[in-house]
Structures are given as C-alpha cells and as structure tokens.
Amino acid sequence: MSQQTLRLNLPNQLSLARIGMCGLFVADLSIDWPFQATTALIIFLLASLTDLLDGWIARNYNLVSELGKLLDPLADKILISAALLSLLQFNYAPLWAVITMIAREFLITGLRTLVAIHGKVMGADMGGKQKTISQMVFIIACFVSLSLKETKIKTGIFDYILENTLYPMMLLTVAITIISGTNYFYRHWELIHKEPRSKCE
C-alpha cells in the first residue's frame, strides 16, 4: 500500500469548509424558528469570507493547485445555489431568475467537464468572479432585509433604499450571470467542436 496520503493545502481546506457551511446554512433554514434568517446571514457571510481568503492565500503564497481550480468554484456553486433556492422560500426572487442563475452553473460545470476531457483545467476568469461577487452581494442584501424584519430593527431611510434596490440588483445580477456564462462558451468554442484525444472504449 502506498504511504502517500492526500494532503489538502489551506485554500482547499477553506473550500471544503465552505461546502460544510452550506450544510449548516440549509439546516438552519429548514428549521422554523424566529431568527433563522439572521443566523443564515451570519453563516453565509462566514462562508463568503472563506471564498475571499482561499483565493488570496492561494495567490499570495503560491498555493494554486489543479484541485483548487476545481474545488473553489464547486464550493461557490453549492453555496450560491442553496442561497438562491432559499430566496424562493421567502419570496425574495422570482423562479425565472433563480432558474436562470442555477442553469448557468450547470452549463458551466458541463463545459468545465468537457474542457477536462481535453486535458485542460478551466479556472474562474474575471467575469466568473464578478458573477460570484454580484450574486453574493444580492443574496446578502436579501438576508439583511429579512434579518431586519425578523429582529424588528428600524433603520429609517436605509430600509426604504434597501427594499427598492433589491429588484434592480437582482436584474443586474442575472445580466452579469448570463454575460459571464456566454463568455466562457465563447472562449472555449473551438474545444466544444473538437474531438478529445482519446475516447473511452
């Protein structure tokens, strides 16, 4: 038996921790209790912080790995998808918007698999990062609104501004999601029509 063991570096450990936080996030929202949205907001903020940290650590300490290029966006997709679906529960996003954003994730995952068949790894580009940031900002804004309501905290003009910017923010997020996804397919269009080097028998 080989004495070698799989060792995950710190960025990859943070990505795995983010996936674990998704479970806590879903569990919290599955229990009907007075402060579920506030707790979910805290969990989501902590998970988002790990997303910022793993990328920063990987770049600054030369810990970028092939596993990390796959694990980091996968953790983001699980977290974002769980949060978007939860917004349906609170009527904070229409079904068409949530389906559009999640469908984009499935399509890019399929493209990433196709690229891997050709022996390459498709990491997140700037458009993908902007998409993730825009989605996280929108989700956080929604849960801040929910938290203010369940804690009955009055913030005056901030409440009015927040409530009236959520829908335009959602439309902008959907637009960024579609544009970034289209850009991935455009950049890898030749690979989509190219036969892999070897086929499975």
Side-chain angles (χ1 to χ4, degrees):
M1 182 182 295
S2 174
Q3 298 298 314
Q4 292 184 338
T5 58
L6 177 62
R7 294 184 179 180
L8 299 174
N9 60 29
L10 182 56
N12 293 340
Q13 291 174 10
L14 289 172
S15 294
L16 286 176
R18 187 156 69 256
I19 294 175
M21 289 181 189
C22 293
L24 293 176
F25 180 85
V26 173
D28 171 68
L29 292 177
S30 298
I31 302 173
D32 187 15
W33 69 294
F35 301 105
Q36 62 175 183
T38 302
T39 305
L41 172 62
I42 294 171
I43 295 172
F44 189 86
L45 287 172
L46 290 174
S48 300
L49 180 61
T50 67
D51 184 34
L52 295 175
L53 282 176
D54 63 16
W56 184 84
I57 293 172
R59 290 189 300 271
N60 287 275
Y61 291 91
N62 195 28
L63 293 174
V64 177
S65 65
E66 298 303 304
L67 176 61
K69 291 178 181 178
L70 294 174
L71 195 57
D72 178 52
L74 177 62
D76 290 340
K77 284 174 171 53
I78 296 174
L79 177 64
I80 294 295
S81 296
L84 288 173
L85 289 171
S86 71
L87 294 181
L88 292 174
Q89 172 183 342
F90 298 104
N91 296 317
Y92 263 62
L95 181 61
W96 68 265
V98 172
I99 293 300
T100 297
M101 288 187 274
I102 292 180
R104 183 266 190 200
E105 304 307 326
F106 277 103
L107 288 170
I108 296 303
T109 298
L111 178 61
R112 185 172 275 110
T113 302
L114 179 61
V115 171
I117 291 175
H118 289 280
K120 299 181 180 181
V121 175
M122 189 178 80
D125 64 5
M126 184 57 64
K129 293 175 182 177
Q130 290 172 346
K131 178 271 305 180
T132 300
I133 291 173
S134 67
Q135 289 179 345
M136 285 183 170
V137 170
F138 170 63
I139 291 166
I140 289 171
C142 289
F143 275 97
V144 167
S145 174
L146 286 166
S147 178
L148 291 175
K149 289 178 180 178
E150 71 179 12
T151 56
K152 295 180 172 57
I153 296 176
K154 301 297 181 181
T155 58
I157 189 65
F158 178 74
D159 285 343
Y160 176 80
I161 294 174
L162 182 60
E163 291 299 320
N164 285 276
T165 55
L166 286 178
Y167 192 75
M169 191 184 301
M170 182 206 69
L171 293 178
L172 177 61
T173 301
V174 171
I176 293 174
T177 298
I178 294 173
I179 293 171
S180 67
T182 303
N183 184 55
Y184 272 117
F185 277 91
Y186 174 77
R187 290 193 299 108
H188 295 89
W189 190 249
E190 290 186 3
L191 276 181
I192 294 175
H193 299 281
K194 184 178 178 181
E195 290 293 327
R197 297 174 182 173
S198 59
K199 296 182 180 178
C200 298
E201 298 296 333

